[in-house]
Amino acid sequence: MKTAIVGSGFVGRAWAISFARAGHEVALWDADPAALPAALDYIATVLPNLAAEGLLGGQEPGAVLARLRPTAELAEALAEVDHVQENTPERVEVKRQVFQDLDALAPPGAVLASSTSALLPSRFVEHVPGRARCLVCHPINPPYLVPAVEVCPSPWTAPETVARAADFMRGCGQAPLVMKREIEGFIMNRLQGALLEEAFRLVADGVAGVEDVDIGLRDGLALRWSFMGPFETIDLNAPGGVRDYAARYQGIYEAIFPSVQRRVDWTGPVMDAVEAERAGQLPRDALDERQRWRDRRLMALLAHKRRAATDIGQ
Amino acid sequence: MKTAIVGSGFVGRAWAISFARAGHEVALWDADPAALPAALDYIATVLPNLAAEGLLGGQEPGAVLARLRPTAELAEALAEVDHVQENTPERVEVKRQVFQDLDALAPPGAVLASSTSALLPSRFVEHVPGRARCLVCHPINPPYLVPAVEVCPSPWTAPETVARAADFMRGCGQAPLVMKREIEGFIMNRLQGALLEEAFRLVADGVAGVEDVDIGLRDGLALRWSFMGPFETIDLNAPGGVRDYAARYQGIYEAIFPSVQRRVDWTGPVMDAVEAERAGQLPRDALDERQRWRDRRLMALLAHKRRAATDIGQ
């Protein structure tokens, strides 16, 4: 299929890798022409690492790179395109204009998807004539390493658009979460926010340290979540499944609920404690190096999950 | 060291594996004498699987099994013991009596730890003469596969007791979360509860399906959490670290907060939808088989994490 990346910064270039890896042609465009060579340079450095981890499906990096085509004009990027992925700045007035332009220039059959993490689609597609083909496909960056993608319709998105976008994403090796309607924070930021809110509160209230919370996830809760998710986890955690779990253990969570109604300002006094503890674990000038470590660990984890799904079962 | 398992059911027998694997002598006791042969049989079936996954540290299953000793009398189990792990029923009057007995019978230098997940230690150690040596060490079951253990003091627990229990747990290959004070739900159930509460709400409100939530964790959020935890994840998710992250993104979470103040009864109408979707994924008569799959995947994940920590870095 033919795809276009509109906005080729941090998020757009990552999508380009995912689409091209799946065999799609990828036209890259950016309002800033200097962004395109930077994107191609970046992609050229990432592909050999993916190949080394077995995450290019046996393809040569050069073969994937050859599917990328920088374009000077937006109309050129959109010619005969099937899927457009928009990654422009997170400002509603920018997205409104961009979606007007995309709808005017892209062939009628193309799906127009935004990568926005912060804006509900209704806020920027309402007045677009082709709003039925517009929706959000929000990745966790980088999508070529993290499969989950939120597929979020606006009130006017056609069900067929949702189905086509989800199928396209599955074909790229992504794992779409197909939302039934839009909601602030989509799904993953709502779940992450609920957990982070409690994590900040535990530190602010002097119950636990930052590292203790991290241990609780990385050596505890997140192990099972990383291959089952929270619902399957509790479904397997009581003899009679999820209904039995809720009957047995809801009381524990009900008792906690009243004490989680108070917001903690993450940027307030608690941040001094959080940052001091993190800086003790990781000097601030080592953040870049640690990000590269994270990406290598993430690649190795994905390779492990594939092997385990084959050897032990999905 | 000499250890005692008081209550040899589901949780106690799992602790016995962790302690014996680390080279400790383990005396097993249970109010029901029939529980002891059942525990030993169970342990004998688990040890070869652990050996096969490289999770016995190169030891023969028989060598680990030989460190276990069933005892008919509690006093016999506690003779010369250094660490006692209590796993009796989750009823406060039971634990009050058991801790009186443990304190009366165990040598003065022994740490007395409860596995309780639901009861704060202050509720059952207040009137124990040796309450300074009593605390909670709460595992995620089974502790021989999941390293995280909450080490939770009562208001009267001596700091030295906390330090000794945490050191003992580290020596067993566990990862202690050392709490500064007791709180309902400890740390992990508070974090899990916050996320589950939002997960049930998303399903109840018709925003997402059960499987979509699970995808969001197992193919999204929990990947990074499973080797970094949530604080390190956000520390690496903004150029300037965790303070920069909070400044950039707190607004998203603040906007969500008002909509997460309403409890959903997990056992109410939403459970029909949750159970129906789970049963569609996994017939209810296949829960047992899937639990065995989960344990194999968990073992393989732990083996992967050890390799990755060595090859790529901790």
Side-chain angles (χ1 to χ4, degrees), chain B residues 162-205:
Chain B
V162 173
R164 284 180 58 203
D167 283 347
F168 171 74
M169 289 295 166
R170 279 189 206 97
C172 293
Q174 308 294 151
L177 294 69
V178 180
M179 297 175 63
K180 294 169 189 159
R181 61 178 174 85
E182 64 176 24
I183 187 171
E184 205 74 55
F186 306 131
I187 293 175
M188 287 190 284
N189 273 340
R190 295 185 72 85
L191 294 165
Q192 171 166 245
L195 188 133
L196 282 175
E197 193 67 43
E198 180 59 17
F200 274 103
R201 202 163 28 227
L202 285 165
V203 175
D205 291 354

Side-chain angles (χ1 to χ4, degrees), chain B:
Chain B
M1 277 168 57
K2 291 196 182 214
T3 68
I5 300 290
V6 173
S8 297
F10 193 53
V11 176
R13 62 186 64 172
W15 272 126
I17 293 172
S18 177
F19 296 177
R21 175 174 63 184
H24 301 303
E25 291 177 47
V26 183
L28 293 149
W29 181 85
D30 200 284
D32 172 11
L36 298 182
L40 291 173
D41 284 353
Y42 176 81
I43 293 168
T45 66
V46 171
L47 292 174
N49 295 337
L50 292 176
E53 291 288 344
L55 295 173
L56 282 191
Q59 301 174 91
E60 290 297 323
V64 177
L65 203 59
R67 298 188 191 114
L68 305 175
R69 182 170 55 92
T71 55
E73 299 298 330
L74 181 56
E76 185 191 347
L78 299 178
E80 296 174 45
V81 80
D82 300 291
H83 181 98
V84 179
Q85 190 73 36
E86 173 277 328
N87 323 273
T88 60
E90 293 276 45
R91 293 201 304 275
V92 71
E93 65 280 9
V94 171
K95 303 251 190 234
R96 278 184 188 145
Q97 184 59 54
V98 168
F99 271 80
Q100 289 284 359
D101 296 345
L102 295 179
D103 189 45
L105 293 171
V111 167
L112 309 181
S114 172
S115 298
T116 184
S117 68
L119 300 171
L120 295 182
S122 61
R123 293 194 62 205
F124 56 87
V125 306
E126 183 173 5
H127 301 293
V128 175
R131 61 192 188 178
R133 59 164 165 161
C134 299
L135 82 176
V136 165
C137 291
H138 171 235
I140 294 194
N141 222 41
Y144 57 81
L145 291 184
V146 183
V149 179
E150 288 162 324
V151 175
C152 180
S154 81
W156 312 284
T157 305
E160 182 208 340
T161 303
V162 173
R164 284 180 58 203
D167 283 347
F168 171 74
M169 289 295 166
R170 279 189 206 97
C172 293
Q174 308 294 151
L177 294 69
V178 180
M179 297 175 63
K180 294 169 189 159
R181 61 178 174 85
E182 64 176 24
I183 187 171
E184 205 74 55
F186 306 131
I187 293 175
M188 287 190 284
N189 273 340
R190 295 185 72 85
L191 294 165
Q192 171 166 245
L195 188 133
L196 282 175
E197 193 67 43
E198 180 59 17
F200 274 103
R201 202 163 28 227
L202 285 165
V203 175
D205 291 354
V207 174
V210 165
E211 175 68 2
D212 295 306
V213 168
D214 276 354
I215 291 172
L217 270 289
R218 75 171 186 248
D219 293 311
L221 297 170
L223 297 176
R224 292 177 297 195
W225 288 350
S226 74
F227 61 91
M228 296 194 293
F231 276 117
E232 182 161 18
T233 294
I234 65 173
D235 197 28
L236 300 181
N237 257 2
V242 65
R243 185 182 292 276
D244 187 19
Y245 181 93
R248 283 171 192 247
Y249 301 116
Q250 173 164 235
I252 294 179
Y253 301 110
E254 214 165 3
I256 294 169
F257 195 72
S259 62
V260 301
Q261 304 307 300
R262 175 179 47 87
R263 262 223 87 216
V264 168
D265 178 4
W266 302 1
T267 60
V270 68
M271 182 48 73
D272 293 338
V274 170
E275 192 177 41
E277 196 178 333
R278 282 300 309 153
Q281 297 274 339
L282 183 71
R284 301 293 79 184
D285 61 4
L287 281 164
D288 277 2
E289 185 189 331
R290 189 72 173 168
Q291 283 159 355
R292 289 190 291 277
W293 166 87
R294 172 199 63 197
D295 288 346
R296 293 184 62 205
R297 285 288 302 253
L298 198 46
M299 286 187 218
L301 176 60
L302 290 169
H304 155 75
K305 283 189 70 178
R306 285 194 192 172
R307 277 194 308 272
T310 305
D311 295 351
I312 301 172
Q314 191 98 47

